[in-house]
Amino acid sequence: MSVGTIEDQFTLQDQLVIDSEAADTLFLEARTANAFTDEPVTEEQMRAIYELAKMGPTAMNVQPMRITWVKSEKARERLVSHMAGGNAAKTAAAPLAAILSFDMDWHEHLPTIFPHAAERKAAFDENEAARQSMGKDNGHLQAAYFIVAARAVGLAAGPMGGIDAAGIDAEFHGGTSNKTFMVVNLGKPGENAWRDRLPRHDFEVATTTV
């Protein structure tokens, strides 16, 4: 486990309830991939990613994230046309791309997913601004779970925000209340998949104890 000095490494491992290999896979050695092999992502892996990602907490259990798996060549071409700059080539070459969106009408599911306070649905029926804010915030939260889940099943993830979200919605989400916010390429990392690791803030810079 490569974190800071040798002393830091032992201190970190002492605090973990997972082994060092799992910590490396999920966090410490995991990287954003920019290139992939042509090994396909299986249906089983796709399902496993979702089964893990859905278990992360969201406010009121709203679970607004929706996933559109883009696997076929024809669908890939449609997606690539809405990717900015170098993201287009990366998405064209990845074995699988996932469009992540949030459902603006997530509140419709509250009677099922938040049954002990199902009456809260009514408060959101006419409050589109609140639905969008909660959907977007919790959708991004679920996207983080999605990336870690992909790593847990042995894949690398390449999340991207350089997209024409409105164009993707028109292309893939017509007739739905889904709003795209991210595209994530998935697969086994290929040659020269990584850029150099960029610095992370130290604990003293990023945290305050009160």
Side-chain angles (χ1 to χ4, degrees):
M1 183 180 302
S2 54
V3 178
T5 65
I6 294 297
E7 182 180 355
D8 291 333
Q9 292 177 35
F10 282 106
T11 300
L12 178 58
Q13 185 57 52
D14 288 346
Q15 303 307 311
L16 299 182
V17 295
I18 58 176
D19 62 34
S20 59
E21 182 178 359
D24 282 346
T25 297
L26 298 178
F27 299 104
L28 301 175
E29 296 297 328
R31 307 288 297 280
T32 295
N34 295 293
F36 300 89
T37 70
D38 58 4
E39 181 178 339
V41 176
T42 67
E43 178 78 19
E44 290 77 12
Q45 288 172 313
M46 293 156 59
R47 289 182 175 273
I49 290 169
Y50 179 71
E51 290 301 318
L52 291 173
K54 75 179 184 181
M55 300 308 295
T58 53
M60 293 173 54
N61 198 35
V62 295
Q63 306 171 65
M65 184 180 73
R66 302 292 181 261
I67 306 166
T68 303
W69 305 104
V70 181
K71 201 167 187 178
S72 72
E73 183 176 347
K74 186 174 181 179
R76 186 70 56 90
E77 291 174 355
R78 292 162 56 204
L79 174 60
V80 166
S81 68
H82 300 288
M83 305 299 294
N87 289 343
K90 289 188 287 188
T91 302
L96 178 68
I99 301 170
L100 304 188
S101 58
F102 67 90
D103 183 2
M104 276 287 294
D105 290 340
W106 52 263
H107 67 301
E108 297 289 351
H109 300 277
L110 283 178
T112 299
I113 60 180
F114 208 59
H116 58 285
E119 71 280 358
R120 295 191 186 182
K121 173 186 175 298
F124 293 100
D125 282 338
E126 304 300 325
N127 195 338
E128 182 175 332
R131 296 203 312 271
Q132 176 157 345
S133 178
M134 283 193 68
K136 184 177 181 180
D137 289 349
N138 287 278
H140 278 84
L141 182 60
Q142 287 191 285
Y145 304 144
F146 179 91
I147 292 166
V148 175
R151 294 170 175 176
V153 303
L155 301 175
M160 297 169 294
I163 60 176
D164 174 8
I168 293 174
D169 285 339
E171 191 78 49
F172 291 93
H173 297 149
T176 78
S177 52
N178 297 349
K179 301 295 183 183
T180 298
F181 64 89
M182 186 181 297
V183 172
V184 183
N185 290 329
L186 297 165
K188 295 289 186 179
E191 187 176 357
N192 299 319
W194 326 116
R195 297 193 178 100
D196 291 340
R197 171 80 77 184
L198 294 173
R200 266 42 174 191
H201 286 308
D202 290 336
F203 180 88
E204 291 74 16
V205 173
T207 81
T208 302
T209 302
V210 296

